[in-house]
Amino acid sequence: MACSPATAVSRDVPARVHADGPECPAGWRGYPLLPARSAHEHTVRARDAVRESYRGAAVDLRDEIPPEAIAAVLEAHRAELARLAEGTGAW
């Protein structure tokens, strides 16, 4: 398990997941929000990339693959956006 849950050590930091486990990078140890922030940023960037790809997929692929294949690509993008929305809380 990466970055074990614990109680906050500082009164200024709410109880969150602490980066104090041996699996976490040494520079993150003792800073509870770093793993959560890193995961959130990664998810937001992935969501943005899927959105960008979705916007251009139908136009970019229309001369390359049949319409039913484009529909499948767009459906895969929608499914990935839904999955990523679980991690960010929004589309």
Side-chain angles (χ1 to χ4, degrees):
M1 173 190 332
C3 304
S4 61
T7 323
V9 264
S10 167
R11 63 183 171 79
D12 299 329
V13 179
R16 305 258 186 204
V17 173
H18 274 277
D20 59 1
E23 302 86 2
C24 294
W28 290 18
R29 293 187 185 142
Y31 297 96
L33 300 180
L34 290 179
R37 182 179 186 283
S38 179
H40 176 76
E41 289 297 318
H42 175 80
T43 304
V44 167
R45 300 295 185 286
R47 181 201 61 201
D48 292 348
V50 172
R51 282 180 175 169
E52 182 68 23
S53 179
Y54 181 88
R55 281 194 287 271
V59 173
D60 295 344
L61 298 173
R62 72 176 170 219
D63 295 331
E64 306 298 325
I65 60 177
E68 58 275 4
I70 292 173
V73 168
L74 295 176
E75 181 55 36
H77 280 74
R78 285 190 290 274
E80 182 64 3
L81 282 171
R83 187 186 73 80
L84 290 168
E86 293 176 14
T88 62
W91 272 62

